[in-house]
Amino acid sequence: GGEADLLELGADALRAAAGELPQLAEALDRFTRERLLKNLLATSPLFRPFSAQQRVDLARRFTGHDVAPGTELIREGDPGRGLYIVLSGEVEVCKGEEPFEQTLATLRTGDVFGEISLIRHTPATATVRAGRPTIVLFLAREFFERLLAALPEMRAFFETLTEERLRDAEIVNEDLLTEDDERVLI
């Protein structure tokens, strides 16, 4: 193999350099996102039915959004706006109102959400909010619906995912009910 000069920069040094050079911060940010996106396109079951070129075309339909911790992306009871994919960070899936809110799941890189209301044409079954700084990809409802109409295997993927999630949510709710019942008995 050939020789290579390696330049190692710690996080602090990178931040300092980026502070002086906004273009560097932007380039690093773009590079990181592109790498995350490439990994996602290669590994997510969502993109499996597509050729490499179709994956890139599909990825272009998504918009990227930086989300601050605590931001609600979906609110229980609202109509579905589109499909989301966690690119980095994590989101919490919660049901019910405070102080009785229950966390159903934590979703991380590669996980999709928002599909249940789109598939079933019903209001959102849970609230989804960022647990820490998160980047999500968003695909508007109209494009999602066109995709499902064109690709039966994609519809099957989302219908299966929807059934699994609703079943899991029911099991969580049953567990919560039995816990509450025991508390009442004590």
Side-chain angles (χ1 to χ4, degrees):
E3 285 183 23
D5 289 325
L6 279 180
L7 171 64
E8 191 176 325
L9 283 174
D12 292 340
L14 265 177
R15 264 193 295 276
E20 290 164 26
L21 294 170
Q23 313 89 295
L24 176 62
E26 222 169 89
L28 285 169
D29 191 43
R30 203 168 38 249
F31 172 74
T32 305
R33 281 172 190 240
E34 280 171 14
R35 214 176 52 195
L36 286 168
L37 188 58
K38 224 176 219 161
N39 289 345
L40 185 72
L41 293 177
T43 59
S44 170
L46 173 61
F47 296 104
R48 205 166 285 142
F50 302 102
S51 70
Q53 187 52 53
Q54 285 173 321
R55 287 176 193 187
V56 171
D57 291 343
L58 179 58
R60 284 201 186 111
R61 305 280 180 170
F62 283 85
T63 52
H65 303 271
D66 288 291
V67 186
T71 305
E72 284 187 357
L73 293 154
I74 294 177
R75 180 172 294 194
E76 187 176 347
D78 283 0
R81 296 182 324 153
L83 180 75
Y84 296 83
I85 305 178
V86 181
L87 190 60
S88 70
E90 62 182 37
V91 297
E92 306 285 332
V93 181
C94 309
K95 219 169 168 38
E97 295 287 317
E98 288 290 0
F100 305 108
E101 188 179 80
Q102 302 291 345
T103 300
L104 300 181
T106 299
L107 305 179
R108 297 183 175 86
T109 301
D111 287 330
V112 298
F113 62 96
E115 80 291 340
I116 296 176
S117 59
L118 300 179
I119 290 283
R120 304 181 85 209
H121 304 287
T122 56
T125 55
T127 293
V128 182
R129 80 172 62 90
R132 55 191 174 94
T134 298
I135 302 171
V136 295
L137 299 175
F138 174 74
L139 183 68
R141 171 186 212 124
E142 307 77 68
F143 192 74
F144 179 76
E145 286 173 350
R146 263 187 284 165
L147 212 53
L148 291 192
L151 295 164
E153 64 268 52
M154 195 142 205
R155 176 172 285 284
F157 169 82
F158 281 110
E159 282 172 352
T160 305
L161 182 64
T162 294
E163 281 163 30
E164 283 170 11
R165 286 195 165 158
L166 290 172
R167 222 180 5 256
D168 289 349
E170 275 167 28
I171 291 164
V172 168
N173 285 335
E174 281 167 23
D175 288 349
L176 294 171
L177 287 174
T178 54
E179 279 173 28
D180 290 345
D181 292 346
E182 283 161 17
R183 225 171 283 143
V184 172
L185 293 173
I186 298 163

